[in-house]
Amino acid sequence: MEYPGNLFVVAAPSGAGKSSLVKALMELDSRVQPSVSHTTRAPRGQEVHGREYYFVSQDTFDQMVLQGGFVEWAQVHGNRYGTSKQALEQRIKQGADVILEIDYQGAIQVKRIFPNAVLVFILPPSWEELRSRLERRAEDSADVIEVRLQNAANEMAHAKEFDFVIINELFERALFDLKAIVHAQRLKYAAQRNARSDTFRALNIT
Ligand SMILES: Nc1nc2c(ncn2[C@@H]2O[C@H](COP(=O)(O)OP(=O)(O)O)[C@@H](O)[C@H]2O)c(=O)[nH]1
Ligand SMILES: Nc1ncnc2c1ncn2[C@@H]1O[C@H](COP(=O)(O)OP(=O)(O)O)[C@@H](O)[C@H]1O
């Protein structure tokens, strides 16, 4: 199945900077719209239901799984997260370029469904910096930080399955790299669309 707009998936270990980069990209580029996921995790810091996530109970999440309401879902760091079909269809109707901020398991599932999806993996510059960012963010308990760091090694081993890898050392540089990936995909998509219409014109197909 071809996604009608451009579909970008951004994954990274917790603390690598994916939310900050996606947020900064959307502030620069209104054509990129987020798909708001559902999660059984409790809200953190300033998070608002319906903005960062739809925060739902285990039962609600179970019901959505049973009813086939998710394009993909995964168990991550002891919580469940999923991209609802409704959230994606809402963006498809807008013809938006959609950015999914999901884990590597979800990214692989999305690529199977939408082969034209562009998968981007964000890496921290070092282990020490990853830990330090989680501690500086100060939104997770020490135990939660340990769980996330333990999972990070396995998550980063999957980076090679992605189309692009960005090292988020200097934030502005990483943001530029993410912008360039989005821009290149748009040009490719536009070129393909124009080539198709040129061919149709040459063959007198309206
Ligand atoms: N598969 C999947 N993963 C998701 C989804 N939403 C968020 N995640 C991932 O779940 C993990 C934990 O997210 P979160 O609790 O917000 O922590 P963070 O990584 O520190 O921002 C991250 O890897 C997210 O990318 C989703 O809808 N599907
Ligand atoms: N390039 C960077 N240099 C220093 N700190 C960063 C950088 N990118 C993100 N951060 C900070 O690191 C912490 C984790 O970033 P965040 O976007 O929440 O990561 P993720 O969404 O991948 O868990 C935040 O406090 C954020 O401000």
Side-chain angles (χ1 to χ4, degrees):
M1 184 194 303
E2 178 106 346
Y3 182 80
N6 290 301
L7 181 57
F8 302 95
V9 175
V10 176
S14 187
K18 61 187 172 299
S19 307
S20 304
L21 287 165
V22 168
K23 185 166 177 285
L25 175 71
M26 291 192 294
E27 283 162 6
L28 291 173
D29 184 341
S30 58
R31 280 176 53 190
V32 174
Q33 294 292 320
S35 169
V36 180
S37 295
H38 286 68
T39 184
T40 58
R41 165 167 79 70
R44 255 180 355 206
Q46 306 303 315
E47 290 179 331
V48 173
H49 176 75
R51 189 180 65 190
E52 283 79 11
Y53 285 103
Y54 294 110
F55 296 99
V56 297
S57 66
Q58 297 287 354
D59 288 349
T60 301
F61 202 97
D62 288 341
Q63 278 307 314
M64 289 182 72
V65 171
L66 289 171
Q67 290 159 3
F70 289 119
V71 172
E72 60 75 32
W73 69 274
Q75 173 101 2
V76 196
H77 312 319
N79 302 298
R80 286 185 293 174
Y81 301 79
T83 302
S84 72
K85 288 178 181 167
Q86 190 189 0
L88 207 44
E89 279 157 9
Q90 183 189 0
R91 295 302 186 205
I92 289 175
K93 287 192 185 101
Q94 295 168 344
D97 287 346
V98 180
I99 201 154
L100 301 183
E101 196 188 311
I102 63 179
D103 87 315
Y104 77 89
Q105 302 168 97
I108 291 160
Q109 293 176 66
V110 165
K111 188 79 170 181
R112 275 198 209 108
I113 301 165
F114 298 107
N116 66 313
V118 175
L119 304 192
V120 182
F121 198 91
I122 311 287
L123 287 175
S126 69
W127 268 106
E128 297 70 26
E129 179 62 9
L130 186 63
R131 173 184 290 278
S132 152
R133 288 182 188 174
L134 280 171
E135 288 167 353
R136 284 204 305 268
R137 181 172 77 180
E139 287 179 352
D140 300 292
S141 68
D143 292 350
V144 167
I145 287 175
E146 284 317 309
V147 167
R148 283 154 184 257
L149 286 171
Q150 279 162 25
N151 292 332
N154 172 53
E155 290 169 323
M156 292 192 280
H158 290 273
K160 61 181 179 298
E161 296 158 48
F162 282 62
D163 300 306
F164 296 94
V165 177
I166 294 176
I167 299 172
N168 178 21
E169 182 155 21
L170 295 176
F171 187 80
E172 290 309 320
R173 174 69 225 213
L175 179 58
F176 176 86
D177 290 344
L178 184 57
K179 271 173 55 182
I181 290 166
V182 170
H183 184 64
Q185 177 65 10
R186 282 193 181 130
L187 287 175
K188 175 184 164 198
Y189 192 65
Q192 284 169 344
R193 204 176 39 227
N194 291 340
R196 263 200 299 272
S197 59
D198 290 348
T199 306
F200 288 0
R201 230 188 330 275
L203 298 173
N204 288 325
I205 299 170
T206 51

